[in-house]
Amino acid sequence: MTDTSARLAALRDELARQRLDGFIVPLTDEHMSEYVGGYAQRLGWLTGFGGSAGSAVVLADRAAIFTDGRYTLQVREQVDGAQWEYVGVPETSIAGWLAGAVREGQRIGYDPWLHTRGFVTETAAALADRGATLVAVDANPIDRVWHDRPAPSPAPVTVHADAYAGESSAAKRAGIADWLASQRADAVVLTALDSIAWALNVRGGDVAHTPVALSYAIVARDGTTDLFVAPDKLDDAVRQHLGNAVRVHDRAAFAAALGGFQGRRVAADPDRAVAAIFAALDQGGATVLALRDPVVLAKARKNPVEIAGHRAASIRDGAALTRFLRWAEDACAAGGETELSAAAKLLAFREETGCLLDSSFDTISATGAHGASPHYHVTPESNAPIRAGELFLIDSGGQYRDGTTDVTRVIPVGAPTDEMRDRFTRVLKGHIAIATAIFPDGTCGAQIDGFARRPLWEAGLDFGHGTGHGVGSFLSVHEGPQRIAAPNYPGGASLEPLRAGMMLSNEPGYYKPGAYGIRIENLLLTVPVAVAGGDPDRAMLGFETLTFAPIERGLIDATLLTPAERDWLDAYHRDVLARIGPALDPATRDWLAAKCAPIAAG
């Protein structure tokens, strides 16, 4: 645990100088990104928290950190409880907590470039009810006391070739222009970094594990685009790729440009554009249309080239993971391995493909009790030896030019207990239930989330996170709008209709605090399904499994599987061997063949 008490004290001194009684600290950047560059890691710097979702509030006499159920264990390991109160969300919101903590006349600061307009409205109302005021700051007070704060990344922008994108940027911008015409809008402000990367067929290196560039874009009704990005990030090849229809400006000029739309109708996404953007458009005299970013759904529905690319990436990645699993089975049992050494070995296998550009997120390499924290992040301080009698969970992925992968497997070190096998098999049953689901086109993820939980519910068990998230095409490993999740789990219910071409993860789990964690994760593609005898006018969908790596036989209690579930598992393993086997050396292929042998009936 890092001692951050001096940082907290420095921030309080700065707040006093700015005549503020408190300040709200989110874990995001000015693009409302889930994963952010080092320069925007204000929450981590202030508190020591290393998770990917959370917020904090600092008052003169109290401080609280807000995290959801995925980080209940992690936040207590990393953040000093003597300095910070632990608050669970969504049970308690920041607005609700502040309403009970502030006094009349107090001024609570926030950075308008780090919060949505909806958050500001809700929080301001809660404070006003207590006679307090929410105050927008001109300069973030954390930045004034974070003296060694990293500069934004200087990484160059690169071209994402049409051979991987499957559609030209000109065609994508024409689609956005058509959408603007349908909305009777003159322009749309794109703030989400992956939306800009997708629309312009460019990639970057400004955020770890996510190939995006810090930028903004404004697309006009004729498809021409103003791109705001540090000019020295663009070489001649990128400028030629963008063409004359994309005008390049310095990123620093973006805020001022928002004031130039007087009398025009401008769309901005209330979930992705920060409050400062709406305020600047309003002040400039624009009519602001609060509409979802038109790229979001187009990007989520993968085209045939993107699908083919992901299939190729999955085979490559699955072979690397299989080589790792064989190594880990022997190396972990022999002793001497740690969470960090195992993660490094898996990275090395992926690097040996010659195609890996980055990991798709920080590998979750978790043994024993660490596995019970779903988003555990190993550090040199937390690094634990992998010991006999434990379950070792590894959740990882790769960024390849043709696809983004994400996969979780669990390895028993020594003989697993009957309880471990029972829980693993129930998770597997839920995984199979999602993989084999058939549902009407337009069904939302919340409607099928319970399929994954039923085998656990029947034993009085559950898991505290969503069942699946969307995945990008050489973009963000967590991509909306599609998800598989119910209302009472982090992020809330997924009400986005599922459509053909969407990719999602399938990752039910089980976590026993202080003991172990289990998660089985593959990626899926939503595909049309023909159902014999069904209503011919009702379009049905199902899932094609995209991820291929063996599921640990030693953790399966075959007596809990139905014949249909055994058939699915055997068919999956036949596919794993057929697809991955040719990419392996003979010894590893023989090992894989044994792992993929049919499961005997219980």
Side-chain angles (χ1 to χ4, degrees), residues 21-67:
D21 299 292
F23 189 68
I24 303 169
V25 187
L27 201 177
T28 190
D29 59 13
E30 53 272 43
H31 305 274
M32 297 306 298
S33 305
E34 176 185 13
Y35 298 115
V36 301
Y39 79 97
Q41 293 281 355
R42 298 177 179 91
L43 183 69
W45 177 84
L46 181 65
T47 68
F49 178 60
S52 60
S55 298
V57 175
V58 176
L59 303 178
D61 56 350
R62 298 175 67 180
I65 183 164
F66 299 76
T67 59

Side-chain angles (χ1 to χ4, degrees), residues 254-265:
F254 172 69
L258 295 173
F261 289 92
Q262 184 173 6
R264 287 186 278 176
R265 291 164 57 87

Side-chain angles (χ1 to χ4, degrees), residues 328-329 331-335 367 386-392 411-416 555:
E329 184 173 84
C332 294
T367 191
I386 300 172
R387 293 183 288 249
E390 295 182 336
L391 294 184
F392 173 55
I411 303 168
V413 184
L555 284 169

Side-chain angles (χ1 to χ4, degrees), residues 159-175:
V159 175
H160 188 58
D162 292 0
Y164 296 108
E167 185 180 14
S168 70
S169 174
K172 293 177 178 180
R173 288 184 280 108

Side-chain angles (χ1 to χ4, degrees), residues 96-229:
W97 187 88
L98 276 169
V102 298
R103 298 186 298 275
E104 186 172 356
Q106 287 193 318
R107 292 160 41 87
I108 306 301
Y110 76 99
D111 186 336
W113 286 94
L114 298 178
H115 298 279
T116 65
R117 185 174 62 170
F119 173 88
V120 172
T121 300
E122 176 191 4
T123 308
L127 291 177
D129 192 53
R130 295 293 189 269
T133 306
L134 188 66
V135 179
V137 299
D138 294 327
N140 194 302
I142 291 180
D143 299 349
R144 292 182 177 271
V145 298
W146 186 1
H147 301 302
D148 57 351
R149 178 181 170 224
S153 162
V157 173
T158 60
V159 175
H160 188 58
D162 292 0
Y164 296 108
E167 185 180 14
S168 70
S169 174
K172 293 177 178 180
R173 288 184 280 108
I176 296 171
D178 290 343
W179 176 84
L180 286 168
S182 73
Q183 301 295 327
R184 296 186 299 110
D186 297 296
V188 59
V189 180
L190 301 182
T191 59
L193 300 180
D194 57 343
S195 288
I196 297 165
W198 182 90
L200 298 181
N201 282 351
V202 295
R203 297 295 188 265
D206 289 343
V207 177
H209 312 305
T210 307
V212 293
L214 292 172
S215 56
Y216 298 97
I218 301 175
V219 183
R221 192 165 175 171
D222 63 359
T224 61
T225 299
D226 291 284
L227 173 64
F228 298 84
V229 63

